[in-house]
Amino acid sequence: MPQPHTPRRDGRGRGFENSERLRELLTRLDAEGPDAWRNDPAATELMRHASDKYAALARKHGLDPWEAATAAFEAMRTASVRRAHDPWAVITRAVQITCIAENRANGLLCSVHQARRPRYSSFHDAERFSDRENPLTDYHPAFRSDPLTDGDEDDTDEVEASGATGVESAVEDTIALLCLLGWEPELARAAIECICARLAESVSRAGAYESLRRDRHARALLDIPAPSWYRLLRIILGSPDASLTGTNASRGVLLRLLIGESLRHLLTDTDLAVAVTVAAPGVMRGRP
């Protein structure tokens, strides 16, 4: 398998591998303007060369060679490459970073821009809530005790006493609640799995709530309008409003199910039923 480019310190090399020839070509293309990259035969050959050069690096990260060539193209247009002692060394590093970010973005289901940030790149790849051999619901503390505020300590004790055996049932009942009140089954399941997966990664419901509220990419993947998404988070995880501490609105549907309330009982909660129905995407899209 071809190895990634090794920087040449002497500027020698054949064809495009010659650092000075590459520098001269990039300088000329920059001076002639954007159309030069589209019309100049030398630019076309340079991109073919870049595609071949970084094909192995692209495949290593599960990408198409032309995706690596695109990253090389973006780097070649920068002044830092034209001024570098070894332009190919700078280009190769830029392509390597982009390939890593592209690969992480595909796994995390987020943008490449986000995948470049350490705060996102440290996460594991996205997975369905039910894909693990040992479901997170069986052991993760976030599903047993993570109150929004210190005032929910009594609820926490009840959840811990109930154990994790009822978590999976609570998740399914939550999905059923949405479906019975106007949500599309597939969307309801995808949304709840997304919320539970983030909850499993967070130390508290409050942390999961804030993370999901700010995650536009997750909402875009689910194709849920913002008002509907924010309402759903409050319904499932509980409202962060301090004035509601200790109330059903503060606990959220998941916690209410975990501490012993039944699906039938939740369906008789008029305020909850109205909130879930109003939050349904079809309803929210029709609102002004």
Side-chain angles (χ1 to χ4, degrees), residues 176-178 180-181 262-270 272-273:
L177 177 70
L178 297 185
L180 290 170
L181 294 174
S262 66
L263 174 59
R264 178 173 296 182
H265 179 72
L266 293 184
L267 287 170
T268 64
D269 185 333
T270 304
L272 175 62

Side-chain angles (χ1 to χ4, degrees), residues 5-287:
H5 171 73
T6 301
R8 297 184 65 93
R9 299 300 180 187
D10 55 9
R12 294 179 295 177
R14 295 182 179 181
F16 293 119
E17 286 299 315
N18 183 288
S19 296
E20 292 309 315
R21 283 195 58 189
L22 175 62
R23 192 194 317 278
E24 292 172 4
L25 174 58
L26 296 179
T27 301
R28 177 170 64 80
L29 292 172
D30 178 67
E32 293 178 2
D35 288 340
W37 281 97
R38 185 181 300 111
N39 302 321
D40 195 309
T44 302
E45 290 302 317
L46 175 60
M47 294 315 301
R48 288 200 184 98
H49 177 77
S51 176
D52 294 338
K53 182 181 185 68
Y54 298 118
L57 184 59
R59 286 193 293 270
K60 176 182 176 182
H61 294 284
L63 304 174
D64 184 271
W66 280 104
E67 291 183 90
T70 300
F73 167 71
E74 295 294 340
M76 289 175 186
R77 298 171 62 194
T78 63
S80 59
V81 168
R82 298 192 297 272
R83 293 194 300 261
H85 176 67
D86 186 344
W88 276 121
V90 178
I91 294 169
T92 298
R93 181 55 179 163
V95 172
Q96 183 182 41
I97 292 174
T98 299
C99 286
I100 293 173
E102 286 275 5
N103 182 266
R104 294 295 293 132
N106 290 337
L108 294 170
L109 302 181
C110 68
S111 67
V112 177
H113 175 69
Q114 286 180 310
R116 290 177 183 269
R117 299 180 180 181
R119 58 177 295 192
Y120 295 108
S121 62
S122 61
F123 296 154
H124 63 72
D125 286 358
E127 57 185 290
R128 284 192 173 275
F129 189 63
S130 57
D131 280 351
R132 297 194 177 204
E133 182 177 350
N134 297 312
L136 288 173
T137 54
D138 288 351
Y139 63 84
H140 200 284
F143 290 93
R144 297 195 298 273
S145 57
D146 41 275
L148 280 173
T149 65
D150 293 337
D152 282 342
E153 291 179 357
D154 292 340
D155 295 334
T156 299
D157 293 338
E158 292 182 69
V159 174
E160 289 177 342
S162 68
T165 57
V167 174
E168 187 173 347
S169 175
V171 172
E172 291 301 322
D173 283 348
T174 302
I175 296 170
L177 177 70
L178 297 185
C179 295
L180 290 170
L181 294 174
W183 284 67
E184 292 292 332
E186 291 186 2
L187 179 59
R189 180 168 295 278
I192 297 304
E193 286 183 350
C194 176
I195 292 172
C196 289
R198 188 64 57 86
L199 183 60
E201 298 171 356
S202 304
V203 296
S204 68
R205 284 184 295 130
Y209 176 92
E210 282 302 314
S211 174
L212 287 164
R213 185 178 67 82
R214 298 174 183 178
D215 193 342
R216 296 181 180 180
H217 189 67
R219 175 166 57 81
L221 286 174
L222 293 168
D223 191 24
I224 297 179
S228 183
W229 180 238
Y230 300 149
R231 285 173 180 263
L232 179 64
L233 294 179
R234 288 195 296 270
I235 291 167
I236 303 304
L237 297 176
S239 173
D241 189 341
S243 65
L244 298 175
T245 299
T247 66
N248 286 336
S250 173
R251 295 184 180 99
V253 168
L254 271 177
L255 182 56
R256 291 178 66 181
L257 288 167
L258 285 170
I259 62 178
E261 293 190 51
S262 66
L263 174 59
R264 178 173 296 182
H265 179 72
L266 293 184
L267 287 170
T268 64
D269 185 333
T270 304
D271 291 338
L272 175 62
V274 170
V276 174
T277 301
V278 171
V283 176
M284 294 307 296
R285 285 194 176 100
R287 295 173 67 88

